[in-house]
Amino acid sequence: MSRVPTSVRAVWKSAELLIAFHKNKNKQRRDAPYFWRPKDAFARLLAKPEDQEAVVVLRGADDNDDVQIKMHSDKIVVRRDRVLGWSGVVLDDTQIRIVVDNVLIRIDPDGGVVVEKDAEKTHLEGSGEIFRFTPDTQINVSADGRRMWRETEDNVDGFSPDGLVSRRK
């Protein structure tokens, strides 16, 4: 049987609904959005998301733990100002994107995953095949692990059930 801890710490001390206006009354883009607090936490959203969006700001129990949730008709964006840990999540109809420690992770509907950091990119395809790209090397591993190749500026190396191949370009 699990026990509830005797000391429970509040994670959020407040939640505030804001409407962010990205354009002024003359339809000119603002440098920074104007945030309006709607009366009774209700506002009709008639504009396009690039003009206006609904934002919920969750204030953390510690002043540096704030989270913003931006709601669009086609996606939800969750972000926080953090150097370590997650700093952004975007959920839409076609994929999920997450930023963790300056690494972008994308999850596609077919189960494929792409991880990007600096100039390096790794693809895990929905089929299970793996591709890795760095400035110096391209690597491919088949889903069943029976075939692999590596290509550099000077060499191409690979193996398959039929044997090993290594050649200079």
Side-chain angles (χ1 to χ4, degrees), residues 85-130:
W86 72 270
S87 58
V89 179
V90 177
L91 308 159
D92 65 31
D93 290 339
T94 61
Q95 60 188 214
I96 300 170
R97 292 180 303 254
I98 306 164
V99 178
V100 179
D101 297 337
N102 292 322
V103 175
L104 174 64
I105 303 165
R106 187 182 79 221
I107 304 168
D108 295 324
D110 68 352
V113 178
V114 177
V115 178
E116 294 181 55
K117 181 174 181 168
D118 303 324
E120 298 181 1
K121 186 186 283 190
T122 303
H123 295 249
L124 170 58
E125 300 294 321
S127 65
E129 191 169 13
I130 299 170

Side-chain angles (χ1 to χ4, degrees), residues 37-143:
R37 290 162 181 79
K39 183 179 180 183
D40 300 324
F42 178 82
R44 197 169 302 282
L45 298 172
L46 301 175
K48 296 181 253 170
E50 59 269 13
D51 294 343
Q52 177 187 20
E53 64 185 338
V55 179
V56 174
V57 177
L58 298 169
R59 305 249 185 251
D62 298 327
D63 288 336
N64 58 353
D65 288 338
D66 297 351
V67 172
Q68 293 179 10
I69 304 170
K70 298 179 179 188
M71 295 162 282
H72 297 232
S73 60
D74 61 341
K75 66 183 170 188
I76 297 173
V77 178
V78 183
R79 63 170 299 278
R80 68 180 180 172
D81 294 328
R82 277 274 173 97
V83 176
L84 297 176
W86 72 270
S87 58
V89 179
V90 177
L91 308 159
D92 65 31
D93 290 339
T94 61
Q95 60 188 214
I96 300 170
R97 292 180 303 254
I98 306 164
V99 178
V100 179
D101 297 337
N102 292 322
V103 175
L104 174 64
I105 303 165
R106 187 182 79 221
I107 304 168
D108 295 324
D110 68 352
V113 178
V114 177
V115 178
E116 294 181 55
K117 181 174 181 168
D118 303 324
E120 298 181 1
K121 186 186 283 190
T122 303
H123 295 249
L124 170 58
E125 300 294 321
S127 65
E129 191 169 13
I130 299 170
F131 294 92
R132 174 117 170 109
F133 304 95
T134 70
D136 303 325
T137 307
Q138 294 181 28
I139 298 172
N140 172 252
V141 180
S142 66

